[in-house]
Amino acid sequence: MGLRAIVFDYGMVLTEKQEPQAHAALLRLTGLPPGRFELLYWADRHAYDEGKLTGLAFWQKLLRDAGIAEKEELVQELNLWDARMWTTQNSAMLAWQLALRKCGIKTAILSNMGDNVLANMERTFDWLPRFDVLVWSYQLGMAKPDPAIYLHTLRELGVEPGEALFLDDKLVNIEAARALGMRGILFSNIDRLRADLIAAGLDRELPLPA
C-alpha cells in the first residue's frame, strides 16, 4: 500500500526546543526550583490538552498546587509566557512539508494542544493553512495516545492507516499509531529522520528532508 499522507506532531517536530527566555520567565514568575516546576507543569498538561482545563485554569491550578497566591495578573502573565515558549518553528521540517505537498502527499498536524498555545500560534504563524488537516486535541476532548484521535485524523485525510506515516517525538504516541496500522517514526532531529526514511525504504516514495 503506497504512502499518501504524512501526519506531523507539532511540539519538538515542527518546532525547535522550548524557547529558553520564556521558560526562564516561567521559573522567575513562579519562584519555583526547576525540578518542582517541571513536576507541577506536566502533572495536568494532559488534562489541558484534552480541553478539561483552559490555559488560565491550568495556571490557576498549578499555583494552588504550589501554594502560590492566584493573582489574576500573575496567571495572565504565566499563560502568555507559556504560549510563547511553544511558539517556535523548525524551518527544515516546514520546508520538507512543502516538498511533500508538491509531490502530491497530503500533510496533517496531529497535536496535543491547549487553547492558549494554539491561539498564539495562529497569531504568529502563516504556514498552518498549508496543511491539509489540522487536529488539535483540546477541540475534540481527546488526546494522543487515544486511538480515537488518530482515527479522526485519518478520516479527515481520507486515507487508510497503512497509507499514512506518523512522526512524533514520544514513543508512546508512535506505538499507538502503529497499533492501528499506521507507519511510525520516532522523531529526534532531521538527520535521524532522513536516515530512518532511507532505512524504511521510503526514499523511493518520498523526497528526503534537506
Side-chain angles (χ1 to χ4, degrees), residues 26-98:
L26 295 175
L27 291 175
R28 173 179 53 81
L29 288 165
T30 60
L32 293 168
R36 175 68 171 153
F37 174 82
E38 293 297 324
L39 184 66
L40 291 168
Y41 184 85
W42 293 108
D44 292 296
R45 203 66 185 185
H46 198 71
Y48 180 24
D49 290 338
E50 289 179 316
K52 294 175 180 175
L53 295 171
T54 64
L56 293 174
F58 171 84
W59 284 106
Q60 288 166 345
K61 186 175 187 306
L62 185 148
L63 292 175
R64 281 197 305 273
D65 292 345
I68 300 170
E70 301 170 46
K71 296 179 181 179
E72 182 178 353
E73 183 178 341
L74 176 59
V75 170
Q76 294 281 358
E77 193 168 1
L78 288 166
N79 204 33
L80 176 64
W81 281 111
D82 186 29
R84 290 180 182 175
M85 185 169 68
W86 293 107
T87 311
T88 65
Q89 61 184 21
N90 185 327
S91 298
M93 288 296 284
L94 292 172
W96 187 48
Q97 185 263 342
L98 277 178

Side-chain angles (χ1 to χ4, degrees), residues 178-193:
R178 288 172 176 165
L180 293 171
M182 299 174 70
R183 308 186 209 190
I185 291 178
L186 182 66
F187 182 85
S188 57
N189 59 65
I190 202 154
D191 291 332
R192 181 72 255 172
L193 172 61

Side-chain angles (χ1 to χ4, degrees), residues 31 84 107 116 147 176 185 190 194 198 201-202:
R84 290 180 182 175
T107 59
N116 183 57
I185 291 178
I190 202 154
R194 190 184 304 111
I198 292 170
L202 292 174

Side-chain angles (χ1 to χ4, degrees), residues 6-202:
I6 310 293
V7 181
F8 297 82
D9 177 35
Y10 170 75
M12 307 299 288
V13 175
L14 293 175
T15 78
E16 299 289 354
K17 294 180 179 180
Q18 298 171 353
E19 206 283 313
Q21 182 183 1
H23 187 264
L26 295 175
L27 291 175
R28 173 179 53 81
L29 288 165
T30 60
L32 293 168
R36 175 68 171 153
F37 174 82
E38 293 297 324
L39 184 66
L40 291 168
Y41 184 85
W42 293 108
D44 292 296
R45 203 66 185 185
H46 198 71
Y48 180 24
D49 290 338
E50 289 179 316
K52 294 175 180 175
L53 295 171
T54 64
L56 293 174
F58 171 84
W59 284 106
Q60 288 166 345
K61 186 175 187 306
L62 185 148
L63 292 175
R64 281 197 305 273
D65 292 345
I68 300 170
E70 301 170 46
K71 296 179 181 179
E72 182 178 353
E73 183 178 341
L74 176 59
V75 170
Q76 294 281 358
E77 193 168 1
L78 288 166
N79 204 33
L80 176 64
W81 281 111
D82 186 29
R84 290 180 182 175
M85 185 169 68
W86 293 107
T87 311
T88 65
Q89 61 184 21
N90 185 327
S91 298
M93 288 296 284
L94 292 172
W96 187 48
Q97 185 263 342
L98 277 178
L100 291 168
R101 289 203 68 192
K102 288 178 182 178
C103 292
I105 301 292
K106 293 182 178 182
T107 59
I109 300 176
L110 167 54
S111 176
N112 285 0
M113 179 64 64
D115 61 347
N116 183 57
V117 180
L118 178 59
N120 194 60
M121 289 164 51
E122 291 175 334
R123 288 190 296 267
T124 305
F125 297 143
D126 61 1
W127 46 261
L128 290 173
R130 294 194 332 223
F131 289 78
D132 298 286
V133 171
L134 299 171
V135 178
W136 312 114
S137 59
Y138 86 94
Q139 295 177 342
L140 298 175
M142 55 185 170
K144 297 174 294 186
D146 185 340
I149 200 166
Y150 298 87
L151 294 173
H152 171 84
T153 305
L154 294 170
R155 285 194 299 270
E156 291 294 304
L157 283 166
V159 301
E160 295 298 318
E163 297 174 317
L165 170 66
F166 178 58
L167 306 176
D168 199 291
D169 65 311
K170 292 184 173 62
L171 182 58
V172 64
N173 295 335
I174 292 293
E175 290 174 339
R178 288 172 176 165
L180 293 171
M182 299 174 70
R183 308 186 209 190
I185 291 178
L186 182 66
F187 182 85
S188 57
N189 59 65
I190 202 154
D191 291 332
R192 181 72 255 172
L193 172 61
R194 190 184 304 111
D196 287 342
L197 289 168
I198 292 170
L202 292 174

